[in-house]
Amino acid sequence: MPSNTSLTPVGTLLTNFAVSYRPSISLFVAEKIFPRQPVSSDSGTYYKMAQDALFGDNEDIPSGNDGAVGFKGAFQNIGDYELTSDTYKAEYFRFCISIHDDEKRKEKETPILKLRQNKTIRLMNRMLLGRETRVKNIVTSTSNITNNTTLSGNDQWSAFSTSDPINDMRTAVDTVKKKSMVYNQAEYDLCAFIPYEVYSVLCFHPAILDLLPTNADKLATVDIMKKFFQLDEVTVPEVLWNNAIPGATVSQAYLWGKDVIVYLRAKGAAAQDGAHFGKIMEYNPFKTLSWVESPNIEFVGMEHASIEELCAESSAYLIKTAVA
């Protein structure tokens, strides 16, 4: 690996290119469920919403005093968000990729910048795949998301004649609403991640298709699922990854698997307050560097520092193995 003296300053041109390229990668969806929050230190404290008290309080409803305005006697303190705190520690992620002289010779017709841009895209994809994997592992763990159920056998949605996806999703939505106690619906979206392996089965499920008008196309689209399940947004993750061990034959698989997540996403003032299901604490944004390790090999590298943390796990519901 390079010495500190061989590293060139951060490549502003390539960094800007990577940042502009990033929003166009629609397949990566981790930041929909865990938005990024810039932090000024690589370690510190963040707030978490307590279980079952996310946006409500447990105080008695005051009854008033003989028709008079206000409360009986002294003012009653109704409390505020029930918060706990935890600590975070950002992790540094660094990847690099080589540019050999023979590649440069093959690219004589194309400016060297294009070659570096292609390498930067490879690095950004690898960085975002890592982030996607970490977030997926957090939100599909029953140890983290305690509001959950695991479907099996005749209850899995791939068993068309015996399963009931509408009731299963109704339970998930109802649980999230009750656990979260949201009063201002305008500040939150009720969302679901329905991975492609689940969606591709669910869109043909007779329990849903039988409720469509007789003249409708017999396909339950994302918009139809939003309506039936009373959701503000449905995301269908389709990220692929190679799940084979290094050196083995490539084995492509859908990263998000067969687990469905229903969750609340803060927006507006609530998002500014940081009332999220989870966050990505981003200390060091994506940056590119370059260096020469030998006369014939140039390297392009990328680094960033961040950590993914759950902040309000009670505002989500997990359905494990929704399909076989």
Side-chain angles (χ1 to χ4, degrees), residues 265-283:
R265 183 178 62 205
K267 61 182 181 180
Q272 294 173 10
D273 289 342
H276 290 290
F277 168 41
K279 302 177 194 173
I280 299 170
M281 314 289 187
E282 190 166 71
Y283 169 61

Side-chain angles (χ1 to χ4, degrees), residues 37-45 88 90 92 280-285 305-306:
Q37 177 178 316
V39 291
S40 58
S41 174
D42 65 353
S43 62
T45 301
Y88 72 87
Y92 283 80
I280 299 170
M281 314 289 187
E282 190 166 71
Y283 169 61
N284 183 14
S306 64

Side-chain angles (χ1 to χ4, degrees), residues 184-202:
N184 188 352
Q185 297 286 350
E187 290 191 343
Y188 298 89
D189 283 331
L190 191 56
C191 308
F193 269 30
I194 304 179
Y196 176 77
E197 287 185 280
V198 178
Y199 172 77
S200 61
V201 173
L202 190 58

Side-chain angles (χ1 to χ4, degrees), residues 135-169:
V135 171
K136 176 260 181 185
N137 289 340
I138 291 172
V139 302
T140 58
S141 167
T142 55
S143 297
N144 295 328
I145 312 303
T146 54
N147 305 321
N148 66 74
T149 188
T150 299
L151 303 183
S152 62
N154 292 336
D155 291 331
Q156 290 178 298
W157 300 342
S158 45
F160 283 175
S161 61
T162 55
S163 62
D164 190 353
I166 294 179
N167 186 62
D168 293 335
M169 288 294 289

